[in-house]
Amino acid sequence: MEKLCEVCGNEQPAGQTKCRYCGTRLQQDNMLPVPEEVHRIVNLELGRPTTAAALDRCSRELDKARSEGIAVITIIHGYGASGQGGVIRKECRKLLEFYKESNTIRNYIAGENFSRKAGPVRALLRRLPSMAHNKNLNKTNKGITVVEL
């Protein structure tokens, strides 16, 4: 049965004594169980909510995911019909910046910056190699934000 390294969060085969990603010495009884789901998608646009309702749902989904051991959430907030970025997108990112500064989330990456070339993305991929297969990677999608819990 696989477990997660408690330092970097990567999956490790049972019986492994050293993390193959970060090199940390592993103690089997100190390793975390692998959650069945590592990544979740949350669509804040569903039902065309008000900005306040979308932000409230965003907060609830982040809390729920954290309690369920989810590592990453892709938030779909849309880009807005104006072509300059919608209100939900802007306010969602303000909320995520507040959460980041208050250590509620580890980090967030704007969809337009979700590229293998970006330092925060490379760090995310080192911690969670399964995210290398994410369909939004390298797509410069301004309508999403990737949140690492």
Side-chain angles (χ1 to χ4, degrees):
M1 176 167 84
E2 290 194 341
K3 299 274 187 165
L4 293 182
C5 170
E6 62 182 7
V7 174
C8 70
N10 285 298
E11 294 181 14
Q12 306 297 318
Q16 186 108 359
T17 58
K18 186 176 179 183
C19 177
R20 57 186 170 186
Y21 297 100
C22 70
T24 301
R25 185 166 192 263
L26 303 174
Q27 298 175 358
Q28 294 301 317
D29 50 330
N30 288 343
M31 292 176 66
L32 307 170
V34 175
E36 290 182 23
E37 182 182 19
V38 174
H39 175 250
R40 180 175 292 164
I41 298 172
V42 174
N43 187 347
L44 297 183
E45 292 185 306
L46 200 61
R48 298 179 47 98
T50 64
T51 302
L55 294 177
D56 183 53
R57 178 159 184 237
C58 180
S59 293
R60 284 193 325 264
E61 291 289 346
L62 290 171
D63 289 341
K64 180 181 174 187
R66 191 177 307 98
S67 71
E68 293 174 358
I70 303 298
V72 178
I73 293 182
T74 297
I75 296 176
I76 301 171
H77 44 61
Y79 184 63
S82 68
Q84 298 177 4
V87 176
I88 292 175
R89 173 183 180 259
K90 290 176 185 173
E91 294 300 317
C92 180
R93 289 187 177 170
K94 283 182 190 176
L95 178 66
L96 294 172
E97 183 62 29
F98 171 76
Y99 284 159
K100 180 180 175 184
E101 290 175 4
S102 62
N103 294 318
T104 304
I105 63 172
R106 181 187 290 237
N107 197 15
Y108 70 94
I109 303 164
E112 57 269 28
N113 300 326
F114 191 52
S115 165
R116 287 184 189 272
K117 295 179 182 179
V121 177
R122 287 195 312 267
L124 172 67
L125 295 176
R126 277 193 300 275
R127 286 189 292 276
L128 296 166
S130 64
M131 288 298 293
H133 306 292
N134 187 288
K135 68 179 184 173
N136 290 301
L137 188 61
N138 298 320
K139 300 290 184 192
T140 63
N141 183 347
K142 295 179 181 179
I144 67 164
T145 301
V146 178
V147 181
E148 185 177 7
L149 300 173

